[in-house]
Amino acid sequence: MGMEFYGNDYNGPDVAPFVGINTFLHLPWIRTHQELVQAKPDVAIIGEPFDFGTTIRPGARYGPRAIRAASTIPSPPYERFNIETGADPFGTFKTVDYGDVQVSPGDVIESHKRMTQKVKEVLDQEGIPVMLGGDHSITFANVRAFAKKYKNIGMIHFDTHADCAPQGLTGYKYDHGAHIRRIMEMGCLKGKNYTLVGPRGYWPGRDLYKWMSDQDFQWFTMLDVEELGIDMIAKEIADRANDGTDAVYLSWDIDSFDPAYAPGTGEPEPNGLTSREGMRMVRLLSKSFDPDRFAMDLVEVAPAYDVSDSSSYNGGITSGLGQRLIIELLAGLSLTKRGLENGDPVRPHNYRGTGNTYHFDKNIPRPKIPKRD
């Protein structure tokens, strides 16, 4: 499929990474809805350069630009054969960059409406929308589009903060600390199908966590991650997200990572995930979703605070980690799409390891992936 959709670029033009327009991975740029309909992509990357819902440090509006810049290192080809897992999502998925939502500066409601519309356009073409944020309030707008297509969704949320406040810090409903409450109000998400991974620190307080418990929410603090391990947690959150739902939405706040691995964010908090833990988690989860009923956003990348990114010409530590999460997620989805359990990595003749994080513990039943009726 790769050559059919991407042409000779799939195997790689001899182009320096600093040449050309910074679409995600230098993938084809789809500029209009009409072009989207003609291309009928399996995956569409959408930038949402929006941080009007931020309550502390702004700057996530530049996240999509930085993530795209980081994704062009190394330069093309589109073929992304992963050395460790032997999976290449772009040999399976026709993937395009659908550009940015044209946000209206200062107008949260109108900007959210435009996000909902652009995501809906991808879903109407039976594509997987992958959104680059932007602050976390964009998740409400994105799920609103998702809920127009699917009645019951499962949700997996990686974050330092619960973001379940009844309203924002100064009373505003649509800031980045209240999007989960807005989603619950839509009626598309049941508490039993929601899991939060990574909360730590000192916000929110006891009363809000009591409300979450009353909704039958599940969450795993960083102490839980330390004690239970990535594999056990991945199994439970996949089971919850798939339990009686029509589709799954994954929202990943980059501040779930320790600032040592992701300094470029508005509200860093010590004692977060390592990049290795995050990569293992996303590889495990990616094989648990139906690729025909899935969406994802990556939020709160703020490159101005990234110690290795002064220009976003090549991205930094944080945006580099973010783009890799997306590629790894698509890799696992691509295996499921092809009916495969594992990729096909090249191993030494006397290989002694197992080197595969695409399956859960063999002694634990695998979650059943919901199939399209």
Side-chain angles (χ1 to χ4, degrees):
M1 193 286 297
M3 289 291 290
E4 294 176 11
F5 185 70
Y6 304 107
N8 291 333
D9 286 349
Y10 177 68
N11 287 332
D14 189 15
V15 177
F18 51 83
V19 174
I21 302 298
N22 274 344
T23 63
F24 189 79
L25 293 172
H26 281 164
L27 289 163
W29 181 20
I30 300 297
R31 286 175 279 186
T32 66
H33 181 229
Q34 182 179 4
E35 290 179 1
L36 182 78
V37 172
Q38 292 172 346
K40 294 187 179 301
D42 300 306
V43 179
I45 309 296
I46 299 173
E48 295 180 334
F50 175 96
D51 59 10
F52 318 145
T54 304
T55 53
I56 301 181
R57 300 198 299 181
R61 68 182 65 181
Y62 295 106
R65 182 176 295 178
I67 295 167
R68 287 184 172 110
S71 75
T72 63
I73 308 297
S75 59
Y78 300 136
E79 181 182 21
R80 284 298 196 275
F81 173 77
N82 186 285
I83 297 167
E84 300 168 297
T85 64
D88 168 27
F90 307 108
T92 300
F93 291 135
K94 297 183 294 183
T95 307
V96 301
D97 192 319
Y98 194 25
D100 285 347
V101 174
Q102 295 297 314
V103 301
S104 179
D107 191 335
V108 175
I109 302 301
E110 178 60 28
S111 297
H112 280 180
K113 286 181 180 178
R114 296 179 187 181
M115 294 174 203
T116 299
Q117 178 58 34
K118 200 170 183 77
V119 174
K120 183 177 181 298
E121 289 170 358
V122 174
L123 291 169
D124 286 345
Q125 298 304 311
E126 306 299 326
I128 300 171
V130 176
M131 283 65 71
L132 313 178
D135 73 52
H136 219 150
S137 70
I138 69 172
T139 298
F140 161 70
N142 298 333
V143 172
R144 183 166 58 185
F146 209 48
K148 292 178 184 293
K149 188 176 180 71
Y150 302 110
K151 182 178 179 180
N152 297 306
I153 69 168
M155 187 165 184
I156 298 172
H157 177 194
F158 288 86
D159 207 322
T160 295
H161 311 103
D163 293 354
C164 294
Q167 58 187 14
L169 186 63
T170 57
Y172 190 58
K173 289 178 62 176
Y174 298 103
D175 87 355
H176 66 166
H179 60 94
I180 297 298
R181 188 70 71 109
R182 301 289 82 80
I183 291 169
M184 289 292 287
E185 291 168 354
M186 288 192 289
C188 60
L189 175 65
K190 297 182 177 66
K192 70 171 187 173
N193 299 127
Y194 169 90
T195 307
L196 169 67
V197 179
R200 58 196 189 276
Y202 300 93
W203 187 92
R206 180 182 297 276
D207 289 347
L208 196 50
Y209 273 102
K210 179 63 168 60
W211 178 87
M212 293 165 59
S213 181
D214 290 342
Q215 309 309 307
D216 198 23
F217 282 10
Q218 175 66 288
W219 62 89
F220 295 97
T221 69
M222 283 308 301
L223 286 177
D224 296 323
V225 172
E226 181 179 345
E227 293 173 1
L228 298 175
I230 295 298
D231 293 41
M232 183 179 296
I233 292 173
K235 170 66 172 62
E236 177 158 346
I237 62 181
D239 284 350
R240 287 176 61 88
N242 286 325
D243 183 13
T245 59
D246 304 314
V248 174
Y249 192 96
L250 172 63
S251 184
W252 203 306
D253 189 326
I254 204 71
D255 74 13
S256 59
F257 288 95
D258 193 277
Y261 302 91
T265 190
E267 299 185 30
E269 181 71 36
N271 194 38
L273 293 168
T274 67
S275 56
R276 182 178 296 170
E277 288 171 331
M279 208 68 68
R280 182 173 183 86
M281 179 71 82
V282 79
R283 286 174 178 171
L284 285 167
L285 288 175
S286 64
K287 282 295 306 300
S288 303
F289 307 133
D290 183 342
D292 295 322
R293 298 167 177 258
F294 179 80
M296 175 193 181
D297 64 39
L298 175 71
V299 301
E300 299 287 356
V301 172
Y305 311 115
D306 197 327
V307 294
S308 66
D309 188 351
S310 59
S311 65
S312 287
Y313 290 147
N314 293 315
I317 293 173
T318 310
S319 48
L321 173 57
Q323 61 92 18
R324 276 292 306 278
L325 289 173
I326 293 169
I327 297 171
E328 295 296 333
L329 186 281
L330 293 178
L333 289 174
S334 72
L335 292 177
T336 302
K337 185 73 173 180
R338 294 165 60 192
L340 301 176
E341 290 294 320
N342 304 304
D344 186 23
V346 179
R347 300 298 191 197
H349 290 299
N350 297 317
Y351 184 63
R352 297 179 182 275
T354 56
N356 194 323
T357 61
Y358 277 110
H359 59 79
F360 298 117
D361 189 327
K362 294 180 180 179
N363 296 320
I364 302 175
R366 290 181 55 80
K368 294 182 179 179
I369 301 172
K371 301 298 183 183
R372 186 183 297 278
D373 294 332

